[in-house]
Amino acid sequence: MAVKTTHAVGVDIGGTGIKGGIVDLEQGTLISDRIKVDTPAGARPKDVLAAVKQVLETLGVTEDKMPLGVAFPAIIKNGRTLSAANVSNEWVGFEAEKFFEVGLGRDIHFANDADVAGVAEVRYGAAKGKQGLVLLTTLGTGIGTAMIHNGMLIPNSELGHLQRARHKKDAEAWTAYSAMERDKLTWKKWAKRLQWYYNYLEFLFSPDLFVIGGGVSKHADEFVPLLDLQTPIVPAVHRNNAGIIGAAALAGD
Ligand code: BGC
């Protein structure tokens, strides 16, 4: 008889920080401290691997006793990273899953950071049981997106890279939380940029629900009421832990 996995480890690699924790897969909650280290400058593979090791050591989970999920901010296809928006270009076309497995001496489950956050919110959070199309957007260093239809993830949607014709730039360069910080915007001014972005997503996809993830989702009260949309829009329940929880959940499957 197969033994059901009840706990798994999730590590969420972001453009700014690398976060990890042990997750109860029944509840979808963290049962350890949330460990965070800065993403090493330049985010090169060997430095990121060293930082992930540090997170696992601090959690006391260097052995292979629980499944380990690792989330990364890039397109991920068959274990390879195919893009590098806020990390070193060395990741483009890189056998990243194998690199982590060799470096950590164990199997991992490797997936896009926004996709795993979407899985966490659909299984345990703001989009639980939601039918139709859910679009989760993480507003952080970049914009990550997860597209989930009737509970099924359609991976690597990358809608942070929709083009803003007026600026000939990616949407995330104008609209991510890092753009608000960089351009020292008030909530109101930032909300105008978000209004453009979510209207564009509405027009293209006619979603049934938007979920806002990323660290700034804890300030949702400051900007969500300023948005005028047809689609309901709610903050992620697991906020900045959704990546850790979703990575662990996929690893536990
Ligand atoms: C990357 C995505 C990632 C997002 C959030 C984007 O720049 O292209 O893969 O999900 O940032 O980290």
Side-chain angles (χ1 to χ4, degrees), residues 84-127:
N86 294 297
V87 289
S88 153
N89 280 336
E90 285 175 40
W91 294 95
V92 181
F94 186 64
E95 290 281 0
E97 182 167 12
K98 209 177 277 168
F99 172 77
F100 282 113
E101 289 188 337
V102 171
L104 299 173
R106 55 162 303 161
D107 283 351
I108 66 166
H109 184 280
F110 193 54
N112 173 266
D113 58 350
D115 282 345
V116 305
V119 167
E121 290 300 320
V122 163
R123 289 199 191 175
Y124 312 108

Short mmCIF file of all heavy atoms in Angstrom, two decimals, residues 84-127:
data_model
loop_
_atom_site.label_atom_id
_atom_site.label_comp_id
_atom_site.label_asym_id
_atom_site.label_seq_id
_atom_site.Cartn_x
_atom_site.Cartn_y
_atom_site.Cartn_z
N ALA A 84 15.14 34.25 -18.81
CA ALA A 84 15.83 34.81 -17.65
C ALA A 84 15.50 36.29 -17.57
O ALA A 84 16.23 37.13 -18.08
CB ALA A 84 17.34 34.62 -17.81
N ALA A 85 14.34 36.61 -16.95
CA ALA A 85 13.92 38.02 -16.95
C ALA A 85 14.59 38.82 -15.83
O ALA A 85 15.03 39.93 -16.05
CB ALA A 85 12.41 38.12 -16.85
N ASN A 86 14.67 38.26 -14.63
CA ASN A 86 15.27 39.02 -13.52
C ASN A 86 16.40 38.24 -12.87
O ASN A 86 16.71 38.44 -11.70
CB ASN A 86 14.18 39.37 -12.49
CG ASN A 86 13.16 40.33 -13.09
OD1 ASN A 86 13.50 41.46 -13.45
ND2 ASN A 86 11.92 39.88 -13.24
N VAL A 87 16.97 37.33 -13.64
CA VAL A 87 18.09 36.50 -13.16
C VAL A 87 19.17 36.46 -14.26
O VAL A 87 18.95 36.98 -15.36
CB VAL A 87 17.61 35.06 -12.83
CG1 VAL A 87 16.76 35.02 -11.57
CG2 VAL A 87 16.85 34.43 -13.99
N SER A 88 20.31 35.82 -13.97
CA SER A 88 21.41 35.79 -14.93
C SER A 88 21.01 35.12 -16.25
O SER A 88 20.24 34.15 -16.26
CB SER A 88 22.56 35.02 -14.28
OG SER A 88 23.36 34.42 -15.24
N ASN A 89 21.58 35.60 -17.35
CA ASN A 89 21.31 35.01 -18.66
C ASN A 89 21.81 33.58 -18.77
O ASN A 89 21.44 32.86 -19.70
CB ASN A 89 21.97 35.84 -19.77
CG ASN A 89 21.12 37.05 -20.09
OD1 ASN A 89 19.91 37.05 -19.85
ND2 ASN A 89 21.74 38.10 -20.59
N GLU A 90 22.66 33.17 -17.83
CA GLU A 90 23.17 31.80 -17.86
C GLU A 90 22.04 30.77 -17.75
O GLU A 90 22.22 29.60 -18.07
CB GLU A 90 24.14 31.56 -16.69
CG GLU A 90 25.49 32.21 -16.89
CD GLU A 90 26.38 32.06 -15.67
OE1 GLU A 90 26.38 30.98 -15.04
OE2 GLU A 90 27.06 33.04 -15.34
N TRP A 91 20.89 31.21 -17.24
CA TRP A 91 19.77 30.26 -17.08
C TRP A 91 19.08 29.94 -18.40
O TRP A 91 18.33 28.96 -18.47
CB TRP A 91 18.73 30.82 -16.10
CG TRP A 91 19.23 30.96 -14.70
CD1 TRP A 91 19.76 32.09 -14.14
CD2 TRP A 91 19.30 29.95 -13.68
NE1 TRP A 91 20.12 31.84 -12.84
CE2 TRP A 91 19.85 30.53 -12.53
CE3 TRP A 91 18.93 28.60 -13.63
CZ2 TRP A 91 20.05 29.83 -11.35
CZ3 TRP A 91 19.12 27.89 -12.46
CH2 TRP A 91 19.68 28.51 -11.33
N VAL A 92 19.29 30.73 -19.43
CA VAL A 92 18.54 30.49 -20.68
C VAL A 92 19.04 29.20 -21.34
O VAL A 92 20.23 29.05 -21.62
CB VAL A 92 18.70 31.68 -21.66
CG1 VAL A 92 17.90 31.43 -22.93
CG2 VAL A 92 18.27 32.98 -21.01
N GLY A 93 18.12 28.26 -21.51
CA GLY A 93 18.47 26.97 -22.13
C GLY A 93 19.28 26.08 -21.22
O GLY A 93 19.99 25.19 -21.69
N PHE A 94 19.16 26.29 -19.92
CA PHE A 94 20.00 25.59 -18.93
C PHE A 94 19.24 24.39 -18.36
O PHE A 94 18.04 24.48 -18.10
CB PHE A 94 20.32 26.61 -17.82
CG PHE A 94 21.29 26.15 -16.78
CD1 PHE A 94 22.61 25.84 -17.10
CD2 PHE A 94 20.89 26.05 -15.45
CE1 PHE A 94 23.50 25.44 -16.11
CE2 PHE A 94 21.78 25.65 -14.46
CZ PHE A 94 23.08 25.34 -14.79
N GLU A 95 19.97 23.27 -18.13
CA GLU A 95 19.34 22.06 -17.53
C GLU A 95 19.24 22.31 -16.02
O GLU A 95 19.97 21.70 -15.22
CB GLU A 95 20.20 20.83 -17.79
CG GLU A 95 20.23 20.36 -19.23
CD GLU A 95 18.98 19.57 -19.61
OE1 GLU A 95 18.09 19.38 -18.76
OE2 GLU A 95 18.89 19.17 -20.78
N ALA A 96 18.34 23.20 -15.63
CA ALA A 96 18.32 23.67 -14.24
C ALA A 96 17.89 22.58 -13.25
O ALA A 96 18.47 22.45 -12.17
CB ALA A 96 17.39 24.87 -14.13
N GLU A 97 16.88 21.79 -13.63
CA GLU A 97 16.40 20.77 -12.69
C GLU A 97 17.53 19.79 -12.37
O GLU A 97 17.79 19.47 -11.21
CB GLU A 97 15.19 20.04 -13.28
CG GLU A 97 14.62 19.01 -12.32
CD GLU A 97 13.24 18.50 -12.74
OE1 GLU A 97 12.82 18.76 -13.88
OE2 GLU A 97 12.59 17.85 -11.93
N LYS A 98 18.22 19.33 -13.42
CA LYS A 98 19.33 18.40 -13.23
C LYS A 98 20.42 19.04 -12.39
O LYS A 98 20.99 18.43 -11.49
CB LYS A 98 19.87 17.99 -14.61
CG LYS A 98 20.47 16.60 -14.63
CD LYS A 98 20.94 16.19 -16.01
CE LYS A 98 19.84 15.65 -16.90
NZ LYS A 98 20.25 15.53 -18.31
N PHE A 99 20.71 20.32 -12.67
CA PHE A 99 21.75 21.06 -11.95
C PHE A 99 21.44 21.08 -10.44
O PHE A 99 22.30 20.82 -9.60
CB PHE A 99 21.81 22.49 -12.52
CG PHE A 99 22.69 23.44 -11.76
CD1 PHE A 99 24.07 23.39 -11.88
CD2 PHE A 99 22.13 24.40 -10.93
CE1 PHE A 99 24.89 24.28 -11.18
CE2 PHE A 99 22.92 25.29 -10.22
CZ PHE A 99 24.31 25.23 -10.35
N PHE A 100 20.17 21.37 -10.08
CA PHE A 100 19.79 21.38 -8.66
C PHE A 100 19.86 19.97 -8.08
O PHE A 100 20.27 19.78 -6.95
CB PHE A 100 18.39 21.96 -8.47
CG PHE A 100 18.34 23.47 -8.54
CD1 PHE A 100 17.69 24.12 -9.59
CD2 PHE A 100 18.93 24.25 -7.56
CE1 PHE A 100 17.64 25.51 -9.65
CE2 PHE A 100 18.88 25.64 -7.61
CZ PHE A 100 18.24 26.27 -8.66
N GLU A 101 19.40 19.00 -8.87
CA GLU A 101 19.38 17.62 -8.34
C GLU A 101 20.80 17.12 -8.05
O GLU A 101 21.05 16.53 -7.00
CB GLU A 101 18.64 16.69 -9.31
CG GLU A 101 17.14 16.99 -9.30
CD GLU A 101 16.29 15.99 -10.07
OE1 GLU A 101 16.83 15.33 -10.98
OE2 GLU A 101 15.09 15.90 -9.77
N VAL A 102 21.71 17.42 -8.96
CA VAL A 102 23.10 17.00 -8.74
C VAL A 102 23.67 17.79 -7.56
O VAL A 102 24.26 17.23 -6.63
CB VAL A 102 23.94 17.20 -10.03
CG1 VAL A 102 25.43 17.00 -9.76
CG2 VAL A 102 23.46 16.26 -11.13
N GLY A 103 23.46 19.09 -7.56
CA GLY A 103 24.02 19.96 -6.51
C GLY A 103 23.47 19.65 -5.13
O GLY A 103 24.19 19.75 -4.13
N LEU A 104 22.19 19.26 -5.07
CA LEU A 104 21.58 19.00 -3.75
C LEU A 104 21.64 17.52 -3.40
O LEU A 104 21.33 17.13 -2.26
CB LEU A 104 20.11 19.46 -3.75
CG LEU A 104 19.86 20.95 -4.01
CD1 LEU A 104 18.37 21.23 -4.15
CD2 LEU A 104 20.45 21.82 -2.89
N GLY A 105 22.01 16.69 -4.38
CA GLY A 105 22.12 15.25 -4.13
C GLY A 105 20.78 14.59 -3.86
O GLY A 105 20.67 13.66 -3.06
N ARG A 106 19.71 15.05 -4.54
CA ARG A 106 18.38 14.48 -4.33
C ARG A 106 17.44 14.89 -5.46
O ARG A 106 17.72 15.82 -6.21
CB ARG A 106 17.82 14.97 -3.00
CG ARG A 106 17.79 16.50 -2.88
CD ARG A 106 16.86 16.94 -1.81
NE ARG A 106 15.55 16.40 -2.10
CZ ARG A 106 14.57 16.28 -1.21
NH1 ARG A 106 14.76 16.65 0.03
NH2 ARG A 106 13.41 15.80 -1.56
N ASP A 107 16.30 14.22 -5.56
CA ASP A 107 15.29 14.59 -6.56
C ASP A 107 14.58 15.87 -6.14
O ASP A 107 14.40 16.11 -4.94
CB ASP A 107 14.21 13.49 -6.66
CG ASP A 107 14.71 12.30 -7.46
OD1 ASP A 107 15.79 12.40 -8.06
OD2 ASP A 107 14.01 11.27 -7.44
N ILE A 108 14.17 16.64 -7.12
CA ILE A 108 13.31 17.80 -6.81
C ILE A 108 12.16 17.82 -7.81
O ILE A 108 12.21 17.14 -8.84
CB ILE A 108 14.09 19.14 -6.91
CG1 ILE A 108 14.52 19.45 -8.36
CG2 ILE A 108 15.28 19.17 -5.97
CD1 ILE A 108 14.98 20.88 -8.57
N HIS A 109 11.14 18.61 -7.52
CA HIS A 109 10.13 18.93 -8.52
C HIS A 109 10.32 20.40 -8.84
O HIS A 109 10.33 21.24 -7.94
CB HIS A 109 8.71 18.67 -7.98
CG HIS A 109 7.69 18.89 -9.04
ND1 HIS A 109 7.24 20.15 -9.38
CD2 HIS A 109 7.05 18.02 -9.86
CE1 HIS A 109 6.37 20.03 -10.37
NE2 HIS A 109 6.23 18.76 -10.68
N PHE A 110 10.48 20.73 -10.11
CA PHE A 110 10.90 22.06 -10.52
C PHE A 110 9.80 22.72 -11.36
O PHE A 110 9.28 22.11 -12.29
CB PHE A 110 12.17 21.89 -11.35
CG PHE A 110 12.94 23.14 -11.61
CD1 PHE A 110 13.34 23.97 -10.57
CD2 PHE A 110 13.30 23.48 -12.91
CE1 PHE A 110 14.07 25.12 -10.82
CE2 PHE A 110 14.03 24.62 -13.17
CZ PHE A 110 14.42 25.44 -12.12
N ALA A 111 9.40 23.96 -11.02
CA ALA A 111 8.31 24.60 -11.76
C ALA A 111 8.42 26.12 -11.69
O ALA A 111 9.17 26.67 -10.88
CB ALA A 111 6.97 24.15 -11.17
N ASN A 112 7.68 26.79 -12.54
CA ASN A 112 7.64 28.26 -12.55
C ASN A 112 7.04 28.81 -11.25
O ASN A 112 6.08 28.26 -10.72
CB ASN A 112 6.81 28.71 -13.76
CG ASN A 112 6.57 30.22 -13.76
OD1 ASN A 112 5.55 30.69 -13.26
ND2 ASN A 112 7.49 30.98 -14.30
N ASP A 113 7.57 29.93 -10.77
CA ASP A 113 7.15 30.46 -9.46
C ASP A 113 5.69 30.91 -9.42
O ASP A 113 4.98 30.66 -8.44
CB ASP A 113 8.08 31.61 -9.01
CG ASP A 113 8.15 32.77 -10.00
OD1 ASP A 113 7.65 32.65 -11.13
OD2 ASP A 113 8.73 33.81 -9.63
N ALA A 114 5.23 31.56 -10.49
CA ALA A 114 3.83 32.01 -10.48
C ALA A 114 2.89 30.82 -10.64
O ALA A 114 1.82 30.77 -10.00
CB ALA A 114 3.60 33.01 -11.60
N ASP A 115 3.28 29.85 -11.45
CA ASP A 115 2.44 28.66 -11.62
C ASP A 115 2.22 27.95 -10.28
O ASP A 115 1.09 27.56 -9.95
CB ASP A 115 3.08 27.68 -12.62
CG ASP A 115 2.88 28.11 -14.06
OD1 ASP A 115 2.03 28.99 -14.30
OD2 ASP A 115 3.56 27.57 -14.94
N VAL A 116 3.28 27.82 -9.49
CA VAL A 116 3.09 27.11 -8.21
C VAL A 116 2.25 27.94 -7.25
O VAL A 116 1.45 27.40 -6.48
CB VAL A 116 4.43 26.68 -7.55
CG1 VAL A 116 5.27 25.85 -8.49
CG2 VAL A 116 5.22 27.83 -7.01
N ALA A 117 2.40 29.27 -7.31
CA ALA A 117 1.56 30.13 -6.45
C ALA A 117 0.09 29.95 -6.83
O ALA A 117 -0.80 29.90 -5.97
CB ALA A 117 1.99 31.59 -6.57
N GLY A 118 -0.16 29.82 -8.13
CA GLY A 118 -1.53 29.59 -8.60
C GLY A 118 -2.07 28.26 -8.08
O GLY A 118 -3.22 28.18 -7.63
N VAL A 119 -1.24 27.24 -8.12
CA VAL A 119 -1.66 25.92 -7.63
C VAL A 119 -2.01 26.03 -6.14
O VAL A 119 -3.03 25.48 -5.68
CB VAL A 119 -0.53 24.88 -7.86
CG1 VAL A 119 -0.80 23.60 -7.08
CG2 VAL A 119 -0.40 24.58 -9.35
N ALA A 120 -1.19 26.76 -5.38
CA ALA A 120 -1.46 26.90 -3.93
C ALA A 120 -2.81 27.58 -3.70
O ALA A 120 -3.60 27.15 -2.86
CB ALA A 120 -0.35 27.72 -3.27
N GLU A 121 -3.10 28.61 -4.47
CA GLU A 121 -4.36 29.35 -4.25
C GLU A 121 -5.58 28.55 -4.71
O GLU A 121 -6.65 28.66 -4.14
CB GLU A 121 -4.30 30.72 -4.94
CG GLU A 121 -3.33 31.69 -4.27
CD GLU A 121 -3.68 32.00 -2.81
OE1 GLU A 121 -4.87 32.14 -2.50
OE2 GLU A 121 -2.76 32.08 -1.98
N VAL A 122 -5.39 27.71 -5.74
CA VAL A 122 -6.51 26.89 -6.20
C VAL A 122 -6.76 25.73 -5.24
O VAL A 122 -7.90 25.36 -4.95
CB VAL A 122 -6.23 26.37 -7.64
CG1 VAL A 122 -7.14 25.21 -7.98
CG2 VAL A 122 -6.45 27.50 -8.63
N ARG A 123 -5.68 25.16 -4.70
CA ARG A 123 -5.88 24.02 -3.78
C ARG A 123 -6.29 24.46 -2.38
O ARG A 123 -7.08 23.79 -1.73
CB ARG A 123 -4.59 23.21 -3.67
CG ARG A 123 -4.30 22.45 -4.94
CD ARG A 123 -3.33 21.33 -4.69
NE ARG A 123 -2.88 20.82 -5.98
CZ ARG A 123 -1.96 19.91 -6.14
NH1 ARG A 123 -1.35 19.39 -5.08
NH2 ARG A 123 -1.61 19.51 -7.33
N TYR A 124 -5.68 25.55 -1.92
CA TYR A 124 -5.84 25.88 -0.50
C TYR A 124 -6.25 27.33 -0.24
O TYR A 124 -6.20 27.77 0.90
CB TYR A 124 -4.52 25.67 0.25
CG TYR A 124 -3.78 24.39 0.03
CD1 TYR A 124 -2.60 24.36 -0.71
CD2 TYR A 124 -4.23 23.19 0.60
CE1 TYR A 124 -1.89 23.18 -0.88
CE2 TYR A 124 -3.52 22.01 0.43
CZ TYR A 124 -2.35 22.01 -0.32
OH TYR A 124 -1.64 20.84 -0.47
N GLY A 125 -6.53 28.11 -1.26
CA GLY A 125 -6.66 29.54 -0.98
C GLY A 125 -7.81 30.24 -1.67
O GLY A 125 -8.93 29.73 -1.76
N ALA A 126 -7.51 31.42 -2.21
CA ALA A 126 -8.52 32.35 -2.70
C ALA A 126 -9.32 31.81 -3.89
O ALA A 126 -10.42 32.28 -4.16
CB ALA A 126 -7.84 33.66 -3.10
N ALA A 127 -8.76 30.82 -4.61
CA ALA A 127 -9.46 30.30 -5.80
C ALA A 127 -9.93 28.87 -5.59
O ALA A 127 -10.27 28.18 -6.55
CB ALA A 127 -8.54 30.39 -7.01
#
